[in-house]
Amino acid sequence: MNKKIVILTGAGISAESGLKTFRDANGLWEGHDVMEVASPQGFAKNPELVLEFYNQRRNQLLKVKPNAGHLALVELETNFEVNIITQNVDNLHEQAGSAKVLHLHGELFKVRSTVNENLVLNWKKDLNIGDLGTDGHQLRPHIVWFGEMVPMLERAIEITYTADILIIIGTSMQVYPAASLVNYVKSETPIFFIDPKPSVTKNDFENLTILKSSASIGVPQLVNELNSNL
C-alpha cells in the first residue's frame, strides 16, 4: 500500500506564478485595511469595494499558470497517496493536475449565496451587485473571511493525522487555524519545510528537514528524492 503524503501549501507557492501574496511588502492589502475587503463587516459596509477587490484577483488568476512547484507535486501521485491542503484560494494545484486538493480558505473561482452557504456556484467572470443565486439572494465570494468559521478544518485535521510524510510549502506558519495542522501529525512523522525565508528552526518539530529554497526549485528536488528512495 502506498505511503500517504500530506502537503500544506501557502501563498509562497502561488507567488512564483505571479500572484501577489497577502503579507509581502507589495501584498494585496496595500492600500486596503484587511477588514475592509476580507470581513463580513467590510462586505456589509461597502459590498461594491469588496466585490471589486475579488474581481481583480479573479482576473489576475485567469492570466497565470502553475509553476514547477505545482507541477512537481503531481509527480508524487505515481508512487504515493497525496493530499494537498492549501490556504490558497487559487486553483493552480488543480490546473497542474493534482487530484486531491482541499481549500481551507475557499476558492476564488466560486461564489455563494449570502444567505445559504451551501448554495455554491462556479464563477470566473466579475461578480457585481445584483448577481443573485437561485434563492434570490446576492452572491458573495466563496472565501473564508476574517472572523468566519473555517468549515473544512475538521476534514483537514483528519487528513493530516493520516500522514506518513508531511510537506509544508511557502507558508509563514502564522495564519491560524491553518498553522495548527502540523500539530496533528503522528510523532516520528518526517516533516519537510520548503521556503526561501523559513519561519521555523530545526528544533521546532521532531524529524524536521528545512529546505531554504523557493517552491519552484525546492519542491522538484524533494519530489525527485522521495520518488528515488522508494
Side-chain angles (χ1 to χ4, degrees), residues 4-8 77 81-85 100-102 155 159-160 162:
K4 295 182 178 181
I5 295 183
V6 176
I7 301 159
L8 308 181
E77 295 183 14
E81 183 180 331
V82 178
N83 279 276
I84 296 174
I85 300 170
K100 296 179 182 177
V101 184
L102 183 149
R155 179 63 187 135
I159 292 170
T160 305
T162 69

Side-chain angles (χ1 to χ4, degrees), residues 129-162:
I129 298 295
D131 288 330
L132 309 179
T134 52
D135 60 355
H137 292 285
Q138 173 67 41
L139 294 168
R140 55 159 277 184
H142 184 50
I143 304 291
V144 177
W145 286 330
F146 289 93
E148 293 185 323
M149 298 292 288
V150 182
M152 301 306 292
L153 182 61
E154 289 300 319
R155 179 63 187 135
I157 290 172
E158 291 171 6
I159 292 170
T160 305
Y161 183 74
T162 69

Side-chain angles (χ1 to χ4, degrees), residues 5-14 16 67-70 72-73 76 87 165-173 191-200 205 208-226:
I5 295 183
V6 176
I7 301 159
L8 308 181
T9 66
I13 192 168
S14 296
E16 290 188 69
N67 60 59
H70 296 104
L73 293 179
L76 280 177
Q87 298 173 48
I165 299 170
L166 180 70
I167 303 173
I168 303 169
I169 307 166
T171 173
S172 64
M173 297 296 287
I191 301 173
F192 296 90
F193 191 96
I194 303 173
D195 197 278
K197 298 177 182 177
S199 57
V200 298
F205 304 101
L208 175 64
T209 301
I210 299 173
L211 286 77
K212 190 175 181 180
S213 172
S214 63
S216 60
I217 294 173
V219 175
Q221 288 176 347
L222 178 59
V223 168
N224 287 338
E225 183 181 322
L226 291 172

Side-chain angles (χ1 to χ4, degrees), residues 50-78:
V50 175
L51 293 183
E52 178 55 27
F53 178 79
Y54 286 98
N55 286 344
Q56 290 177 13
R57 295 196 65 196
R58 204 176 294 110
N59 288 330
Q60 186 189 23
L61 179 53
L62 286 166
K63 298 171 185 173
V64 300
K65 298 294 181 187
N67 60 59
H70 296 104
L71 296 169
L73 293 179
V74 182
E75 296 175 23
L76 280 177
E77 295 183 14
T78 305

Side-chain angles (χ1 to χ4, degrees), residues 170-195:
T171 173
S172 64
M173 297 296 287
Q174 293 170 358
V175 178
Y176 285 86
S180 67
L181 288 173
V182 68
N183 300 317
Y184 291 95
V185 294
K186 296 186 284 287
S187 60
E188 306 305 314
T189 301
I191 301 173
F192 296 90
F193 191 96
I194 303 173
D195 197 278

Side-chain angles (χ1 to χ4, degrees), residues 102-117:
L102 183 149
H103 288 267
L104 274 180
H105 296 155
E107 298 180 60
L108 204 49
F109 281 161
K110 291 183 179 180
V111 298
R112 72 171 186 257
S113 164
T114 48
V115 173
N116 178 7
E117 64 182 26

